[in-house]
Amino acid sequence: MKNILLLVLVAFNAGLASGSPVKREGFNWEPVRQWAIQDRGRVKPFDTFARESALLVTGKTSWKGMAAVEMVWSWLVNLDKEWADEEFVRVDFEPLKRELGLDVHRQYFKISEVRDLDGLQKLIRVASAKGSRREKLSELEKKGMEVQNKLGLLDSIVGGSAMAILPNPTDEKGEWFTLGALAERSQLPYASDATEKFAEAFKVLVDSYLNQNPSAWYDGAYQVKRMLVSLSGGHYPSETSIDREIMYNHLRPFRWAWVLYAFAFVCLVSFIVGQKKKNARWFRYASFGFLFGAFALHAFGFVLRCMISGRPPVTNMYESVIWVTWGCMLFSILIWAAYRNVIVPTAASVFAIAGLVLADNLPFILDPEIHPLVPVLRSNFWLTIHVLTITLSYAAFAVSLCIGNVNLGIYIFKPHNKEAVQENILYMYRAMQIGVVLLAAGTILGGWWADYSWGRFWGWDPKEVWALIALLLYIAVLHGRFTGWLKGFGFVATTVSAFLGVLMAWYGVNFVLGVGLHSYGFGAGGLSYMVFYLLVQVGIMVFAWVRYSQAGKPGNNYVVPRTGI
Amino acid sequence: MFQRIYKFFASVQLAVFSILSLAAVLAVATFMGSVYGMHGSQVAVYQRWWFSGLLLVLAVNVLAAATIRFPWKIRQTGFVLTHLGIIVLLVGSLLTQKLGVDGSLPVAEKTQENEVIMGELHLSLFDEKGGQKMEVPVPETHVENRGTVLDIALSTGHHLVVDRFIPRANQTKAMIASPVPGVGIPAVHLELTNSRFDIDEWLQASTPDKPTDLNLGPAIVSLQKLWSPDEEKTFFKKDAKGHEAESKYGSLTIAYKGRDYKVDIGQLIGKWSKVSGSSLELKVERYLPYAVVENNHLISKSDEPRNPAVEVLVKDTATNFSPEKHTVFAFFPEFSTLHGAKARTEPILGVDLKMTVQQQMGDMPGMGGGGRGHLFLAQSSDGKRLLYRVLGKAGDLKTEGEAQVGKNIATGWMDIQFKVVDWLPAAIEDPEPQNVEDMQGQDDSFPTAIRFRIVPPGGRAPAAKADDGVWLYEGMGRSFSVGGQELFVQYHKNRLLLPFHIYLEKFTMGTNPGTQEAATYTSNVRVKDPTASEEKTATISMNEPLQYGGYTFYQASYQMSPGQPAVSVFSVNYDPGRWVKYAGAMIMVFGILLMFYLNPQYLKIMTGKGKESA
């Protein structure tokens, strides 16, 4: 592989000859984390770039005790040597491994094992031919391209073309220069001795790493950072913004939020089960402590992300999961505040935990990276309002789904507890009302915004059609309730089923259908999780119906309060 | 009787039924959209009469449900408003659909345009004087239509019959035998197989001095046409690059004044030598097998060719300019090679130098490393034989000979066999497009295509044959003579002429920092209206439309191709239903809010004073 450092700096041979990476003890990585790098349309801390790169290649943000930033640095300097025999390129998809003749039981492979596979080259050839014809790629081809992207990223780190750390001195939004560009340093728009000094400083830094000299390393990394700042002509991102993003990377607010929600859930369940016991109120206090703590942290993370990206973070699936789970907790807390029944936040926290755990653990499906906005979404107030409103309606429907499942649970375990079911149906109904208003308003705002942007109020785009279908399904439930067709169990079961419309509008259009104007949010994967959820949900529903029938269909004459029709 | 029908249309049962039917139809339509594209789903569902019928039933239902409860009570305000809002919204949509304009207007920089491209497909006929004879709409389908799409009677008694419609046409790379003798190039349909792959491609030859290489993963395949028996002899001497063997230094390719030259570096070291066929002279000053920069000097670290580079002097003997100094890196072809260009007072020659070395073969990122085999095919000068020569990864000869159509030939490397499925000494590309069954991306990815034939008077349309009829893609035309008349047929989207022109001054595209991704589009335009006293200038960008003469112009997209002026595409819109729709939407949302949150019973529930009522 062509190593850019071979060219721009003195060649070095100090690296260990063994083909396995070794963690260097005593090195302080903070200064390197704080370098800024321009990567995929955004200037970010090197820390973020390293985490994203490490995640893409290995699926992890650390490797054998090395932090992401250490890994990426080690790739830059030593990929040919220390990483030659390391199995670290992640290939997950079993059919792909079978196709390529790789060991299906292994998750990680050496670069050399995947690079020269004829099968992979063929897949990519077919996929790129299909891509140029704009035909759909098969799952196998998509996964093959992912492997190719991993190798491509490693190549561009080593080759220097991904390492755009030299700031553009004239244009704040202009293109930064890569380490690779140092090979032609006379072409760079800096004073010639400045680039020379920079190359020298970078070489010192590399040498101190290879010679295992932590203190020289620390000084060198700061020296490089100072030089980068002075090269930038005043355009270097502020320390506050860099530190904020590094803090966001390391705090992991959404992970802590779900952990706290989980504590809250356990305490709430304990409280509900042992309500009549003497010390139950302590569980109550603890649970609300955890609940509000988690909620605040969740909100804090969201605000932090807004500040980093400079926009409301609701433009990809990951961000919408964060937002919808937060909205779900918000509505559950509001309904709890109105009716003082802890079952509402208890049920809702299950949804929040599930959503945040998925967001935390499926980076390839729910991409946590912060991307720049596509043109159509730029500087548009209505987009923000439209997307926030629609996704908030999903949150409200999620609350009614959760309480619906509590009712299904009651039908299974205590089918004669009519009072509890009726109470819960009221909460479901309230949540549904919030959802219907928000979804109707949000869809119309979307039409309004589309009309304003490209002159079409309604264009039968799949995303808007599915929002309409979800709305129609809930409206059908409301009308069914009005006719008296849907009483206790029927109302619960249909409300829970109507959430399928929300799932399609939210997830399905982007990940299953994959067409239309909302393509900026498209992704792939996760279908198995969705199918698993649907099967479990249907199972619960059928079982609840059996139990409810066996119990003689109690509460079937009950009709929820109705509105002014 | 009327009462019964009225009650039926006002019933909640019908409401639930029609709501669920609509939901089901919409769901199916979105899945169709996933396969046939958004436009396909429009053609298949949303534009059909029965879909409008379904919406009509819903509208009648909504209206009847509201009117049957007249006189309304105060508490029904929300309910009535919601239903009224839906009716107004649907009426507004109907106005838009029937009276509105929704088209696109592409304008090239420094030109003006007033022809709006609308959504309907039309077939237009013109006579030889350019006068329009007729224009008929072409019925669209979301799948391929092999029936009689159109049958137009011409004044001569002939019929113009359109017998195929392809909604997403994709021109195949397949070749067919040339119908005209003496026209066409050699083409081979080749199959490459081993236990792990199965490649099937059409290969076409280009000029004899530049064989087209087709990169088929494990192998590079090329086909050439030989012009003389002499060339057949040299064909059997080809090495891995199709040239005489190179020295260990590699070679330089030089692009100069539109022509390519190639010289062996070994012949240039330390001495000036002429590039044959040009006025250039080259001299390699230094060969650096392992080039690194040290203290701002380029030196060679060792004799191991790990990063080969050369410093080369170039001069054009036709000029008196002093030689240019270039540094060329074999592995970094993207670097500019000329040194001291800024300081140079004389004109720059403009040569483009690339260095190739033997071991680089297959070492490109993203390609299969470790080298690939070569399969050279050539058509003999008499056009009667197909010759082949197979070289292994290392450039070693594996096998050679004469290929027979339909016979498997073992190449001798990687268990690969090849088979010439079909060989056409003179071929042209098959004009018949293939319909793309499962597409992705935006609707404009594929044009539609039709095939038409002229049927003589009294004659019946003959059965469709593969080589019969003329294919027309959207935007294409064709002239033909029938009954002594010259006619011109054009297949296009229908047009709307605006009473004024839009002149595009300038189109600019902003990108995300450091990428080629578009971030913003802006068009500076002038409206050229003969009825207006002064020209209006405006800037149209995403989310910033221009309103003029009742029309609204939105920045929709752009087309940029090298050497061409930028084209900005506006979407042009006239919508008489806009404010009706807005009013309906607002009434509806207001109604829902009233219904849910401002009725006495709800207030009672909120205060805990009453809970249920039937």
Side-chain angles (χ1 to χ4, degrees), chain A residues 258 318 321 352-363 366 529-530:
Chain A
W258 74 253
Y318 175 86
V321 168
I353 294 165
L356 290 176
V357 166
L358 288 178
D360 197 20
N361 289 294
L362 300 175
L366 302 171
Y529 294 91
M530 217 35 85

Side-chain angles (χ1 to χ4, degrees), chain A residues 459-460, chain B residues 25 29 38-53 55 97-98 102 119-121 138-142:
Chain A
W460 299 112
Chain B
V25 168
M38 270 172 68
H39 185 71
S41 66
Q42 301 244 355
V43 171
V45 179
Y46 303 124
Q47 289 171 0
R48 301 295 281 275
W49 62 268
W50 51 262
F51 185 75
S52 307
L55 287 180
Q97 204 192 331
K98 293 290 165 205
D102 186 3
E120 249 177 59
L121 288 169
V138 179
E140 267 191 89
T141 43
H142 66 285

Side-chain angles (χ1 to χ4, degrees), chain A residues 494-511:
Chain A
T494 48
T495 306
V496 168
S497 310
F499 196 71
L500 183 64
V502 171
L503 281 182
M504 270 308 289
W506 185 17
Y507 162 86
V509 173
N510 296 27
F511 285 68

Side-chain angles (χ1 to χ4, degrees), chain B residues 103-414:
Chain B
S104 70
L105 178 76
V107 190
E109 240 175 25
K110 306 287 177 206
T111 65
Q112 59 178 32
E113 194 56 76
N114 75 330
E115 209 178 56
V116 179
I117 302 167
M118 305 291 287
E120 249 177 59
L121 288 169
H122 282 206
L123 201 64
S124 294
L125 276 171
F126 301 86
D127 62 22
E128 59 217 285
K129 296 178 195 83
Q132 184 156 9
K133 290 176 77 85
M134 59 174 76
E135 181 166 345
V136 256
V138 179
E140 267 191 89
T141 43
H142 66 285
V143 287
E144 190 177 341
N145 185 354
R146 286 170 178 262
T148 303
V149 182
L150 269 182
D151 188 336
I152 304 168
L154 305 175
S155 56
T156 53
H158 291 73
H159 282 246
L160 190 156
V161 177
V162 177
D163 61 359
R164 289 276 288 279
F165 173 82
I166 286 187
R168 291 167 299 280
N170 186 21
Q171 196 145 27
T172 55
K173 291 213 179 93
M175 307 290 288
I176 54 170
S178 169
V180 187
V183 173
I185 48 169
V188 165
H189 186 189
L190 193 71
E191 236 178 51
L192 269 180
T193 45
N194 78 354
S195 54
R196 280 168 64 188
F197 60 78
D198 183 357
I199 294 169
D200 188 339
E201 288 274 354
W202 272 97
L203 199 66
Q204 41 178 300
S206 53
T207 54
D209 53 346
K210 265 194 184 172
T212 339
D213 282 355
L214 191 61
N215 185 352
L216 296 181
I220 293 172
V221 184
S222 68
L223 171 65
Q224 75 182 100
K225 182 177 178 176
L226 304 173
W227 297 86
S228 66
D230 273 358
E231 283 189 356
E232 282 173 35
K233 279 177 208 149
T234 43
F235 173 75
F236 286 113
K237 285 182 186 145
K238 271 175 182 293
D239 71 2
K241 286 201 170 75
H243 291 272
E244 305 302 311
E246 270 168 357
S247 70
K248 64 167 183 169
Y249 302 107
S251 57
L252 277 176
T253 52
I254 306 129
Y256 183 56
K257 291 187 175 167
R259 284 202 58 187
D260 289 342
Y261 309 94
K262 190 161 186 175
V263 282
D264 190 335
I265 291 171
Q267 297 170 357
L268 302 174
I269 291 180
K271 61 170 191 256
W272 284 101
S273 67
K274 205 169 159 52
V275 177
S276 68
S278 81
S279 54
L280 286 177
E281 276 190 12
L282 262 64
K283 177 183 169 190
V284 170
E285 286 213 308
R286 279 203 299 164
Y287 168 74
L288 306 137
Y290 188 0
V292 293
V293 177
E294 203 167 71
N295 300 326
N296 214 15
H297 288 287
L298 194 66
I299 58 150
S300 187
K301 201 68 184 161
S302 75
D303 288 339
E304 209 186 328
R306 288 185 63 176
N307 183 34
V310 285
E311 280 180 359
V312 56
L313 294 176
V314 184
K315 71 177 175 193
D316 186 345
T317 49
T319 67
N320 297 324
F321 306 142
S322 59
E324 284 181 359
K325 184 175 175 183
H326 291 257
T327 309
V328 192
F329 293 92
F331 296 163
F332 297 88
E334 67 274 17
F335 291 174
S336 68
T337 58
L338 182 59
H339 280 252
K342 284 177 204 155
R344 193 177 166 89
T345 51
E346 292 161 334
I348 292 165
L349 292 174
V351 290
D352 182 49
L353 294 162
K354 296 266 183 295
M355 178 177 176
T356 49
V357 288
Q358 204 93 53
Q359 75 205 56
Q360 197 202 353
M361 180 58 71
D363 196 29
M364 303 285 286
M367 308 254 217
R372 270 164 292 184
H374 288 248
L375 167 57
F376 299 103
L377 291 168
Q379 179 171 306
S380 67
S381 51
D382 55 6
K384 294 200 171 118
R385 285 169 304 136
L386 190 63
L387 312 170
Y388 69 89
R389 180 171 162 90
V390 180
L391 300 180
K393 283 185 180 186
D396 48 323
L397 176 69
K398 293 290 187 190
T399 171
E400 59 185 12
E402 196 183 319
Q404 307 291 332
V405 172
K407 219 176 106 187
N408 269 315
I409 298 165
T411 60
W413 38 267
M414 286 172 66

Side-chain angles (χ1 to χ4, degrees), chain B residues 33-103:
Chain B
S34 162
V35 177
Y36 302 118
M38 270 172 68
H39 185 71
S41 66
Q42 301 244 355
V43 171
V45 179
Y46 303 124
Q47 289 171 0
R48 301 295 281 275
W49 62 268
W50 51 262
F51 185 75
S52 307
L54 186 56
L55 287 180
L56 183 71
V57 170
L58 196 71
V60 169
N61 192 194
V62 168
L63 187 67
T67 52
I68 206 164
R69 286 172 173 76
F70 191 81
W72 300 310
K73 301 178 188 73
I74 295 289
R75 66 178 173 87
Q76 288 174 322
T77 316
F79 153 77
V80 173
L81 283 181
T82 305
H83 283 221
L84 178 72
I86 293 169
I87 295 289
V88 174
L89 189 58
L90 287 174
V91 168
S93 309
L94 193 68
L95 282 176
T96 305
Q97 204 192 331
K98 293 290 165 205
L99 304 172
V101 170
D102 186 3

Side-chain angles (χ1 to χ4, degrees), chain A residues 2 6-7 118 133-136 148 184 378 423 430 451-453 455-456 466 483 485 562 564, chain B residues 12-13 30 34 75 102 292 307 331 336 366 414 440 446 512 543 554 573 578 582 601-602 611:
Chain A
K2 311 175 287 190
L6 287 181
L7 184 71
D118 291 331
R133 293 197 300 266
R134 301 242 198 151
E135 273 182 66
K136 247 173 221 163
Q148 187 65 12
E184 293 178 275
R378 222 160 266 257
E423 279 283 302
R430 291 291 167 246
D451 192 16
Y452 173 73
S453 281
R456 206 166 296 163
W466 270 103
T483 58
W485 289 349
R562 71 185 208 209
Chain B
V12 192
Q13 283 82 349
T30 60
S34 162
R75 66 178 173 87
D102 186 3
V292 293
N307 183 34
F331 296 163
S336 68
M414 286 172 66
Q440 72 171 5
F446 302 100
N512 280 328
N543 303 329
Y554 303 85
N573 189 274
R578 170 172 293 144
Y582 284 177
Q601 275 171 320
Y602 180 70
K611 227 161 212 184

Side-chain angles (χ1 to χ4, degrees), chain A residues 113-390:
Chain A
E113 286 174 306
V114 278
R115 181 173 290 281
D116 296 336
L117 292 172
D118 291 331
L120 184 62
Q121 298 312 318
K122 189 201 168 192
L123 263 185
I124 286 154
R125 198 174 60 84
V126 174
S128 46
K130 272 190 178 179
S132 61
R133 293 197 300 266
R134 301 242 198 151
E135 273 182 66
K136 247 173 221 163
L137 299 188
S138 71
E139 191 73 3
L140 199 65
E141 288 155 358
K142 280 186 201 159
K143 298 288 177 182
M145 293 294 267
E146 278 173 21
V147 173
Q148 187 65 12
N149 287 344
K150 290 173 196 220
L151 298 175
L153 177 67
L154 287 172
D155 277 349
S156 61
I157 288 174
V158 174
S161 62
M163 303 287 294
I165 62 168
L166 293 157
N168 189 314
T170 47
D171 182 2
E172 197 173 350
K173 294 200 162 170
E175 190 167 349
W176 287 30
F177 302 97
T178 63
L179 280 184
L182 276 183
E184 293 178 275
R185 41 196 104 146
S186 59
Q187 312 278 331
L188 293 176
Y190 309 111
S192 66
D193 59 326
T195 35
E196 209 45 58
K197 276 187 190 147
F198 177 81
E200 189 57 34
F202 206 87
K203 172 183 171 308
V204 169
L205 186 66
V206 172
D207 286 344
S208 67
Y209 175 78
L210 292 170
N211 301 330
Q212 310 243 29
N213 185 343
S215 67
W217 158 266
Y218 184 75
D219 296 340
Y222 263 122
Q223 178 65 16
V224 167
K225 160 120 204 230
R226 272 193 296 277
M227 286 180 148
L228 288 171
V229 173
S230 71
L231 286 178
S232 75
H235 295 315
Y236 215 69
S238 76
E239 237 164 79
T240 334
S241 66
I242 295 247
D243 288 345
R244 184 191 299 132
E245 187 164 342
I246 295 176
M247 194 254 276
Y248 171 81
N249 288 343
H250 292 260
L251 179 64
R252 297 176 170 230
F254 305 123
R255 171 171 298 176
W256 286 109
W258 74 253
V259 170
L260 290 179
Y261 281 132
F263 279 123
F265 176 75
V266 171
C267 292
L268 279 166
V269 170
S270 314
F271 168 69
I272 292 167
V273 170
Q275 252 181 50
K276 306 205 171 69
K277 301 242 167 69
K278 224 170 88 188
N279 293 324
R281 67 195 169 102
W282 293 109
F283 277 100
R284 193 182 142 89
Y285 297 148
S287 60
F288 276 93
F290 285 129
L291 190 71
F292 286 114
F295 188 64
L297 193 61
H298 198 160
F300 175 66
F302 196 79
V303 170
L304 216 51
R305 204 175 157 103
C306 287
M307 292 171 80
I308 293 165
S309 59
R311 59 176 163 81
V314 277
T315 54
N316 73 9
M317 205 60 195
Y318 175 86
E319 295 176 336
S320 79
V321 168
I322 301 291
W323 167 245
V324 170
T325 48
W326 185 82
C328 176
M329 291 317 293
L330 174 73
F331 291 131
S332 74
I333 289 170
L334 288 178
I335 295 175
W336 166 79
Y339 296 97
R340 298 281 159 181
N341 191 332
V342 291
I343 195 71
V344 184
T346 312
S349 62
V350 175
F351 181 79
I353 294 165
L356 290 176
V357 166
L358 288 178
D360 197 20
N361 289 294
L362 300 175
F364 296 116
I365 301 167
L366 302 171
D367 175 13
E369 257 178 59
I370 295 175
H371 295 282
L373 275 182
V374 296
V376 72
L377 304 184
R378 222 160 266 257
S379 66
N380 193 307
F381 175 71
W382 290 112
L383 156 83
T384 317
I385 303 298
H386 146 69
V387 179
L388 289 179
T389 315
I390 293 228

